Amino acid sequence: MRGYLVGCVVAVLLWSVASAQIRYSISEEVNEGTIVGNIAKDLGLDKGTLKDRKYRIVSSTAEPLFHVNHNDGVLYVSRKTDREEVCAQSSTCVINLKTVLESPLEVHYVRVEVLDINDNSPDFPENQKRLEISESVLPGARFQLKPARDPDSGHFSVQQYKLSQNDHFRLEVRDKGKDGKIPTLIVQKSLDRETAASHTLVLTALDGGKPPKSGEMNIQVNVLDINDNAPVFTQDVYSVMLDENAPVGTTVIQVNATDLDDGTNGDVVYAFSNSMNQIILNLFDINLLTGEITVKGLIDYEENDQFEIEIEASDKGSAPLTTEKTVTIKIVDVNDNPPEIEVTSFSSSIPEDSRPGTTVALISVNDLDSGLNGKVICSIGEGVPFALSPSLKDKMYSLVTKSPLDREKRDKYDLTIFAKDAGQPAVSSEKTISVLVSDVNDNSPVFLLSPYTFYVTEGNDPGASVFYVKAFDRDENDNALISYHILRDVSEGNKLASFLNINSDNGHISALKSFDFETLKTFQFQVVATDSGTPSLSSNVTVNVFILDQNDNAPVILYPVSSNGSAEGVEEIPRNVNAGHLVTKVRAYDADIGYNGWLLFSLQEVTDHSLFALDRYTGQIRTLRSFTETDEAEHKLVILVKDNGNVSLSATATVIVKVVEPKEAFAASDVKSSAKVDEEDNVTFYLMITLGSVSVLFLVSIIVLIAMQCSKSTDYTSKYLQEPNYDGTLCHSIQYRSGDKRYMLVGPRMSIGSTIVPGSHANTLVLPDRRGASGEVRHFE
């Protein structure tokens, strides 16, 4: 029969409308791997989603008794189950399992009842029992015996006792509920010590198995002389209240009994009844002489809230008489258990765009105390965007978000959950869990500057990086991975963007062509930065580029220039001129600006250094002394014109000076004057028209410039005017003075009396020389 029960598993599905729980039953001692029941089928769960939803049993033990298969939802036995080990003496052994599914969260409760099998025999605490009974006892005298104990429960525990056949004693069995059946030996016929000084009895205990298991105890009864008065307790009822956790040695109560006999037959001693459970014997002690009951072990209200102790008062007669009394000890609960916090389901990471009210975790609290000591209030720390929401089930809470999250401000929260009971004084506990805030793409790239302004020297190498832009994104991972591209369109102002290339990874911009300051001064374009999120976010920035001048243009000789285009000319001067006479003036210009366009003149070659001098700034050639009869009639001067760039560029001009007699010089002068009169008349007419037109344009330009300055945004400044089409050439008019061969320039940013060499593009100005009275001019940048 036992083998049949061990090999058989009874799975019973019970549905309760109130609790919505599943209940199964299995026999103890079944083998590991035995099927208990199909939870998924009985709950109507989809087997295909169990693994993804992390279906599991929530257990606090290292070696759980059961486990559930993720694939089919079948509940199996994890190890051999000994009912006596799991449930001890409980009449019903029920193991409560809590199963959890996530996404969405579901909690189901499963109860597994472990059915007992008859695998233990009754056993007496002692194999031999010696009783001493006075011969004067009357029929009906009672002697309580220690009961047999059977670890099995219910029907398989001790069910009956049998006493061996005899004429003087009979057996009476009293059922004391959870303490079991207590055998009592009763005298049914007067004893005669002279006839029989002792009686040997055999007490047999049987359980309810089929066939029953049994245990035996031998009883030796010695008949003593008469002692006819038993002790009598002074109180009918003994009841006391005792606080749990009372210190060892604490007096619980003192019982008192008296005996009317004299001498040793009247001396009373106290002891616990033989029927006392070993648990009580470990917790309490009694003084043999005084009857004082004291605490011996740890008193725990959560294990037992009341004890009933059987006290025996016996005299010291040769055949002691015994009286029994029950002492009731009620345990008073003390708030000695802190609340227990359990996180049953937890999402360690939550997106930052989660709505308020999103569930992060399920939290259950429990307190083993009772009454107010077991009533728990749960809370969470201040200053966090999370809250605890009470659940429909008692002592269950949901940890939810209460306000929007922002990972860029805070990406991790260490949440401390506090649980406090209502006892006096209160006992509390806490538990900390960490919640990570995951990133979503909610931040656009931001450029370090807006707008960007770069200065690029002309003549750059095509394909080389000239500058770069940089943007950052407050998101992380792919949401912060930025790529760059140039915004290209077909508008007139953005054509130069087609000659630019940008590295999409680092924002470095390279030019596909070389810039020329003389044709392009400034331009602008836009760069777009886009992150790699889904959907992606982007932003753009305006890039202003200014081209810087390099010394890449050599000086150009304007005068003298021969008919074949070479820089060579012939000047005739009278022999009778004085020192300081202006022979001629070398004129030149440079297309560069600044120091690169500032020209200096020097004599490279001269036939007589004592006769001629060259002004290094103006290019004027003057005589140093008067000519003598011995001086040559023709002199050659080679003039070097160079700019002031870091690497100077230069040009040379050759002037041949012929010294003639005064009459010849005057004749040549008259011919030149008559030829120039007609020329000056025509040039003067056209220059007057040009001067009028330029004046009107100048006034219009001033008005437009003032309007642009007034309308310009206050938050944007530049050291250059924003004129994309400005080519650096000022509008001006040139007036030619035939008398001293000077060109007068009138136009923007020019003072009256300023001069310019023809074709200089306003890069080389000629101002009056304030050092002398000759009226000659100097070149300035």
Side-chain angles (χ1 to χ4, degrees), residues 1-2 118 155-156 207-213:
M1 183 65 178
R2 182 177 183 273
N118 192 21
H155 188 67
F156 297 127
D207 62 20
K210 293 183 181 181
K213 295 180 180 293

Side-chain angles (χ1 to χ4, degrees), residues 16-69:
S16 172
V17 175
S19 61
Q21 294 180 340
I22 300 176
R23 180 163 179 164
Y24 299 102
S25 297
I26 65 168
S27 296
E28 67 171 326
E29 302 293 340
V30 295
N31 294 327
E32 178 182 348
T34 301
I35 297 176
V36 179
N38 193 324
I39 300 177
K41 178 180 178 183
D42 297 335
L43 287 176
L45 300 175
D46 184 4
K47 295 180 181 179
T49 63
L50 295 180
K51 188 172 184 179
D52 292 338
R53 296 181 64 188
K54 299 179 181 178
Y55 189 42
R56 67 188 185 278
I57 296 175
V58 179
S59 175
S60 60
T61 61
E63 296 182 2
L65 296 175
F66 306 95
H67 68 274
V68 65
N69 189 302

